[in-house]
Amino acid sequence: MSPRKKLILSLCASAGCAVLVTAFVGIAQQSATEAPAGFNTPSFNSAASVSNGAEEPAGDTFALDQQVFERNHQAKSDDPGETGLGPVYNATACVSCHENPNTGGASQITEVRVGHNDANGNFVNPTIFINDGQNTITGRSLVNDRAICPQAQEHVPPTENIRALRAVLNTLGDGFVEAIDDQTLVTIAANQPGQSEGRIHGEAIEVPIFEATGVKRVGRFGWKDQHGSLLSFISDAYLNEMGVTNRLRPTDITTVCKTTTDPEDVADNLGLADIDHFAQFIRATTVPPRDNTLAATPSALHGQLLFQHLGCSTCHVPSIVTAAAGTVLNGGTFTVPSALGNKVIHPFGDFLLHDIGTGDGIVQTTGLQETAPKLRTAPLWGLRTKSRFMHDLKSLSLDQAIARHKGEASEPADRFADLPANDKQDLLNFLNSL
């Protein structure tokens, strides 16, 4: 028997092959089935796109939802259907940031976040002066890279000594993430200390659901888990990244150079606003697929076992089961459809906040100052489509990204560093199959 086979058998004996290979977490029913996977939304070719089977509102189609997601915006237009742009913004279309390897994915783009700590060590959002100091933008850490006029252009003040870059996140398959029951994420967090001898302890935070006043849910979207529903995440991004006001975020960041009337995103002839089309699109996307050819090689299979053995899967959870179809979420505003319900997904993430030594010092949820050094575990599905890694995209190789894991993740990172070269390559081959 080869040394590699002996190691695989040893790992299976010590941890259990079934746990190593599947590691299901969730409210599992016998009828749970695999979520459909694939990069099925070719950019600017929505006629060829394939959804996960989610039903559309009357008159709507997945292709139309994708077209709205891809539509380019202008600052001012005679077209009554044009929403406007800005006055401050980062991109002119959702697809501008979400397009790798196709519409809805991640990208190489980063945004700027800044702030400072007060005398008590608490994070404070910056005051950004624009228009030669005549106007200010306050109440958020984001500093937009672009503006529709010079007077509205933002710059980082010297007073803001907390400065960070944030990578754009993937949205493909996020409908399944929204459909994860809160208790599933809470249970994952509760189990992590026992799985790691107390070293790892993810935080599940409750955040407001914009579409249901007074309702909170466990956050799962954004680097700080600042949103618990797709409509909340989408409406916030439409305002902050593109400067388009909507029914859930109805007021622009500044009125300098503004030419449109709020809210700018209004219902179309189907009764759907842009944010509704965006939500329909994301909820109907399939999950990022594996490279099944590479995943089936002895090297990648051994690497997956090592991934579990080193402790990486404590945070990068391989498999989660979504809530049952018919489950009512988001304060009664969303019911899990059969296309999303009771599905097995493989995000290789826990959607929890952790301190692994790379935190950016930013707080985005009111009253939760302890989240400043924490970031959401990056789901690893679709990893092979990326050339830069970590929340700031400053790691240009996977081994470099692993080496940056400190704090809660220091022991798995140290174990990786101590592996023989062949084992390291096996683990990297596994990661490259994701």
Side-chain angles (χ1 to χ4, degrees):
M1 183 179 296
S2 69
R4 175 166 295 179
K5 287 184 178 179
K6 288 182 179 178
L7 177 56
I8 290 175
L9 288 175
S10 173
L11 291 175
C12 288
S14 63
C17 270
V19 175
L20 286 170
V21 175
T22 56
F24 288 108
V25 178
I27 304 173
Q29 294 88 19
Q30 289 184 344
S31 58
T33 57
E34 289 284 327
F39 291 125
N40 296 324
T41 52
S43 297
F44 306 102
N45 186 18
S46 59
S49 294
V50 179
S51 78
N52 60 31
E55 294 184 6
E56 296 282 348
D60 194 20
T61 66
F62 186 56
L64 176 59
D65 295 334
Q66 180 174 331
Q67 290 164 19
V68 177
F69 192 91
E70 293 172 339
R71 190 177 70 230
N72 205 44
H73 293 257
Q74 302 176 46
K76 183 178 180 180
S77 172
D78 294 330
D79 181 355
E82 180 57 66
T83 59
L85 186 72
V88 292
Y89 67 102
N90 281 333
T92 59
C94 298
V95 74
S96 299
C97 292
H98 299 281
E99 197 186 2
N100 187 29
N102 52 19
T103 296
S107 76
Q108 81 288 359
I109 293 172
T110 57
E111 67 174 24
V112 179
R113 294 270 175 180
V114 305
H116 63 274
N117 288 336
D118 63 18
N120 296 317
N122 293 320
F123 178 80
V124 179
N125 282 318
T127 296
I128 308 294
F129 290 91
I130 60 172
N131 195 19
D132 294 327
Q134 299 180 58
N135 303 90
T136 59
I137 294 176
T138 61
R140 62 179 195 154
S141 58
L142 179 66
V143 177
N144 290 99
D145 285 317
R146 304 164 78 177
I148 62 173
C149 66
Q151 293 86 348
Q153 182 62 56
E154 295 184 87
H155 300 279
V156 177
T159 54
E160 310 310 313
N161 53 13
I162 297 175
R163 304 178 179 191
L165 296 177
R166 294 266 190 87
V168 170
L169 292 166
N170 164 75
T171 68
L172 297 174
D174 270 354
F176 297 95
V177 177
E178 184 177 36
I180 298 172
D181 185 81
D182 279 9
Q183 187 56 48
T184 297
L185 299 179
V186 171
T187 299
I188 292 173
N191 289 340
Q192 286 176 340
Q195 295 167 347
S196 63
E197 298 180 347
R199 291 182 297 272
I200 296 174
H201 35 83
E203 181 178 7
I205 63 172
E206 289 195 336
V207 294
I209 302 299
F210 294 166
E211 61 267 37
T213 304
V215 173
K216 289 188 175 183
R217 191 174 185 227
V218 173
R220 63 203 65 197
F221 299 116
W223 280 109
K224 291 286 182 173
D225 276 346
Q226 64 266 31
H227 295 299
S229 78
L230 279 173
L231 263 178
S232 297
F233 172 74
I234 288 163
S235 64
D236 203 46
Y238 211 17
L239 173 64
N240 286 300
E241 308 296 344
M242 296 176 62
V244 179
T245 55
N246 53 80
R247 69 176 184 273
L248 299 180
R249 305 297 274 173
T251 306
D252 253 316
I253 302 304
T254 180
T255 58
V256 174
C257 294
K258 183 174 172 61
T259 61
T260 53
T261 301
D262 294 331
E264 296 154 328
D265 176 27
V266 297
D268 59 14
N269 62 341
L270 300 177
L272 302 173
D274 286 355
I275 59 173
D276 301 310
H277 284 289
F278 300 158
Q280 285 297 131
F281 171 69
I282 294 173
R283 285 170 177 162
T285 57
T286 53
V287 300
R290 293 284 299 275
D291 179 343
N292 290 324
T293 300
L294 178 57
T297 63
S299 174
L301 289 171
H302 179 234
Q304 183 168 0
L305 292 173
L306 289 169
F307 186 82
Q308 172 81 19
H309 185 65
L310 298 184
C312 306
S313 60
T314 303
C315 298
H316 293 286
V317 177
S319 302
I320 297 176
V321 180
T322 64
T327 302
V328 178
L329 303 175
N330 303 341
T333 63
F334 178 62
T335 300
V336 177
S338 58
L340 300 176
N342 204 22
K343 293 294 187 291
V344 181
I345 61 173
H346 304 282
F348 289 91
D350 61 6
F351 305 101
L352 302 172
L353 297 178
H354 291 272
D355 182 357
I356 66 165
T358 58
D360 55 16
I362 307 291
V363 174
Q364 284 184 252
T365 302
T366 302
L368 294 179
Q369 287 290 331
E370 80 276 5
T371 63
K374 299 180 180 181
L375 292 167
R376 186 188 78 163
T377 300
L380 300 183
W381 55 7
L383 184 68
R384 71 184 188 279
T385 68
K386 301 176 181 178
S387 60
R388 312 181 200 176
F389 310 100
M390 303 297 283
H391 74 280
D392 51 12
L393 300 184
K394 289 183 178 180
S395 297
L396 302 184
S397 67
L398 287 174
D399 52 356
Q400 186 181 61
I402 294 171
R404 288 180 65 187
H405 284 59
K406 304 298 180 185
E408 293 180 47
S410 59
E411 186 154 323
D414 291 342
R415 289 171 178 168
F416 174 79
D418 291 337
L419 287 176
N422 287 345
D423 285 347
K424 285 183 180 178
Q425 189 57 55
D426 287 347
L427 195 146
L428 295 176
N429 287 342
F430 160 67
L431 293 177
N432 283 319
S433 75
L434 299 179

